[in-house]
Amino acid sequence: MLDDITDGAHSGAAFPQATVTGAAAGPPSGTATATLGRGAGTQHADGTPVRVLVVDDEPSLAELLSSVLRYEGWAVQPAGTGAEAVKSGREFRPDAVVLDIMLPDFDGVEVMRRLRTELPGVCVLFLTARDAVEDRVAGLTAGGDDYVTKPFSLEEVLARLRGLLRRANLARTGGGEGGLVVADLTMDEDAREVRRGGELIDLTATEFELLRYLMRNPRRVLSKAQILDRVWNYDFGGQAHVVELYISYLRKKIDAGRDPLIHTVRGVGYVLKPNG
């Protein structure tokens, strides 16, 4: 319910304490307004607004999220059912989707699958119930990029969306980060290109961020907890097998048919290094 959505719900985050009690036509009132000004990362490199599709079957919640995102500078389209979301996605062509898993016709995972047949690079931020761990796992293992649990902070949603768009290199940011090299594996962080032995490798936004973290820490063993914190920016409640899943995705793309670079250190974590 909308009354349950409160700022500060994400422990450890530096968000203001404010309670959202209803939808608004404009920006939220009170303390939150001072921090929800138009932020960086709401435009493409060509200056056009980043497009976000908001999907939730509770109209007041969908309108509240849409209002906040519009106030931030994004172009927003709301939808209340899975079918409406798929139709809107085809017409609106969003860069990112804020997607409730529980919808009245078919679930958010199915919406994501249908959208990605036409928009393979679209970023997906799932909204899930706090106690529905299985939904969170299902959403991420199906290809979702991140999730936020209800009740949630509006600032948290904004921060997660900015992070996803930054990973996908869809939002305008300042400054280049150059390139990374480990053995014959190279990453151009500005162009978002990864090559192994000169061969271009196609990665999803989350796979790219995971590989970047490994490549920035070559020969250093990284625990699953460290990877979860850095790549997904939260404690996944013990569901560390999601890291194993994405490591397996990377291995299929990076190491298949080649000398392996990604190594498992049993009981500890993973390390990126050449053999020998």
Side-chain angles (χ1 to χ4, degrees), residues 5-70:
I5 303 170
T6 56
D7 287 309
H10 184 61
S11 61
F15 300 133
Q17 299 298 315
T19 302
V20 180
T21 56
S29 62
T31 307
T33 305
T35 63
L36 288 175
R38 294 178 182 270
T42 60
Q43 295 180 328
H44 294 102
D46 63 2
T48 59
V50 169
R51 297 179 300 278
V52 181
L53 177 63
V54 175
V55 186
D56 198 289
D57 62 345
E58 188 173 352
S60 54
L61 174 54
E63 181 55 36
L64 174 65
L65 285 170
S66 297
S67 295
V68 170
L69 293 173
R70 289 191 189 102

Side-chain angles (χ1 to χ4, degrees), residues 123-166:
C123 299
V124 176
L125 175 67
F126 279 117
L127 302 178
T128 74
R130 171 176 284 177
D131 57 354
V133 175
E134 66 279 3
D135 287 341
R136 287 175 263 167
V137 174
L140 290 180
T141 55
D145 297 293
D146 205 346
Y147 77 86
V148 172
T149 57
K150 299 178 181 180
F152 56 77
S153 158
L154 294 173
E155 286 88 348
E156 181 180 12
V157 173
L158 292 171
R160 297 297 178 90
L161 275 175
R162 289 193 188 104
L164 292 182
L165 294 167
R166 189 166 54 247

Side-chain angles (χ1 to χ4, degrees), residues 141-234:
T141 55
D145 297 293
D146 205 346
Y147 77 86
V148 172
T149 57
K150 299 178 181 180
F152 56 77
S153 158
L154 294 173
E155 286 88 348
E156 181 180 12
V157 173
L158 292 171
R160 297 297 178 90
L161 275 175
R162 289 193 188 104
L164 292 182
L165 294 167
R166 189 166 54 247
R167 292 183 209 170
N169 202 32
L170 291 171
R172 182 170 60 188
T173 57
E177 295 182 303
L180 300 170
V181 180
V182 176
D184 63 343
L185 178 66
T186 63
M187 173 181 285
D188 186 328
E189 296 180 280
D190 295 330
R192 307 283 296 187
E193 289 185 351
V194 173
R195 296 177 185 272
R196 179 87 195 263
E199 179 183 344
L200 186 64
I201 298 172
D202 183 36
L203 299 178
T204 67
T206 302
E207 290 167 353
F208 185 93
E209 190 69 14
L210 173 56
L211 182 61
R212 171 154 58 181
Y213 184 44
L214 293 171
M215 292 187 72
R216 285 183 172 179
N217 296 274
R219 300 183 181 276
R220 177 187 173 193
V221 179
L222 302 170
S223 69
K224 292 176 185 178
Q226 287 175 308
I227 293 171
L228 284 169
D229 182 67
R230 173 59 180 84
V231 178
W232 282 274
N233 299 309
Y234 54 75

